[in-house]
Amino acid sequence: MNDGPVSAGKTPKKERMRFVSAEQVAQRAGVSRSAVSRTFTPGASVAPLTREKVLRAAEDLGYHVNDLARGVLANQSRLVGIVATRPEVGFRAHLAAALAKSLIRRGSIPILINTGQTEEEMLAAQKMLIGYRAEAIIILSGSPPASFFELAQRNGQPLVVIGRAEPDADHVCAGNSEASRKAAKAFYDSGRRRLAVIGSNTGTPAIVERESAFLSAAGSHGASVVVARGGDSDYDGGVTAGRALFSGAIKPDAVFCANDQIAFGLMDVLRLEARLCVPEDVAVIGFDDVPESSWLSYQLTTFRQDPLTMAQRAVELMERRLENPDAPPGYERVIPELVIRQSFKP
């Protein structure tokens, strides 16, 4: 229905968002404003009848406590920052989701910061989280500069790092070297002698550790190893590295990939461009066990990192730090399990 003409040159005024206030709840319940505050403050004293009136009024009006305002008054909040570079990619996406679930279960409010790897971008993200009085920061990837840690320490803000080690931060790491050595031995024991490892030029600590451990273990068994790297540790990086590996006269008969995304790119190159069979011509092992690894197109043998386990360990370290700020840095190492599928069977 037409509500009438709008004057030329004027636009309809938008209604300002209005949340239900504690004062409105107090008026509806017929109690004081302070009684509403006490009702929603854990441990505060309030008469049972008053509490019942307040809760009924709050339910009728759809009232919720302003946690942000409470956090400002208390100089803290239940916000926890999750800082990640390209959080939508591969295992990182599942880890971010698992962290959010674990933090919400704890009663925290996860804030995902999608940032780059430059010092300026990382510090901008951190200053935002400090400004909102975040309880803690959990870093999933990238190489935070020293100033990142210094700023957190000056503000008493706990840091938990996943996938890398920092001297003054709590951290959760996968058993990269253990898994990589196991991959090299499994290839060698199955009779594969022309080995290769694919990493990336990003040079993240996890990728570097997997590469170097595989090289060392393969060398100790007397196998020859070729290293290939894509621009990034993703599908396109696997395609680039795969093409480089299999364009020469001598082709590897087994390849260890630093993560599953790289392995998917490699396997598509092998089957669609090099016309090689997996695993008959080339055996492939990945790392992470993302859901796509079990797809019929790949059936990838890979090392499983459990995102729920890693997230829970990170949250436990965060809680420990909040309870005891002076405790020595905590360290958790989660050893991945080899999941056997069609791309390689030891």
Side-chain angles (χ1 to χ4, degrees), residues 114-174:
N114 183 355
T115 184
Q117 292 179 299
T118 67
E119 181 170 355
E120 292 77 13
E121 290 170 318
M122 295 293 285
L123 288 176
Q126 186 184 21
K127 288 176 180 177
M128 178 188 298
L129 293 169
I130 288 176
Y132 280 97
R133 300 297 189 265
E135 272 191 311
I137 298 177
I138 300 176
I139 302 173
L140 304 195
S141 58
S143 302
S147 51
F148 192 104
F149 294 94
E150 292 166 3
L151 183 58
Q153 288 170 349
R154 287 201 302 270
N155 284 274
Q157 193 171 41
L159 280 176
V160 179
V161 184
I162 300 180
R164 59 181 289 114
E166 293 294 337
D168 298 318
D170 300 307
H171 53 279
V172 180
C173 291

Side-chain angles (χ1 to χ4, degrees), residues 215-242:
L215 284 168
S216 175
S220 69
H221 292 300
S224 62
V225 188
V226 178
V227 179
R229 298 186 182 97
D232 206 341
S233 51
D234 56 10
Y235 179 89
D236 289 339
V239 169
T240 300

Side-chain angles (χ1 to χ4, degrees), residues 171-255:
H171 53 279
V172 180
C173 291
N176 297 308
S177 56
E178 294 91 333
S180 302
R181 289 194 293 267
K182 186 173 182 177
K185 185 176 187 304
F187 281 152
Y188 188 85
D189 289 347
S190 67
R192 311 277 176 161
R193 295 294 182 267
R194 302 187 311 278
L195 310 186
V197 57
I198 298 181
S200 77
N201 290 323
T202 56
T204 61
I207 297 294
V208 170
E209 184 180 358
R210 292 169 198 174
E211 280 187 24
S212 60
F214 184 86
L215 284 168
S216 175
S220 69
H221 292 300
S224 62
V225 188
V226 178
V227 179
R229 298 186 182 97
D232 206 341
S233 51
D234 56 10
Y235 179 89
D236 289 339
V239 169
T240 300
R243 285 171 176 164
L245 272 179
F246 290 89
S247 60
I250 301 178
K251 298 174 173 58
D253 59 7
V255 184

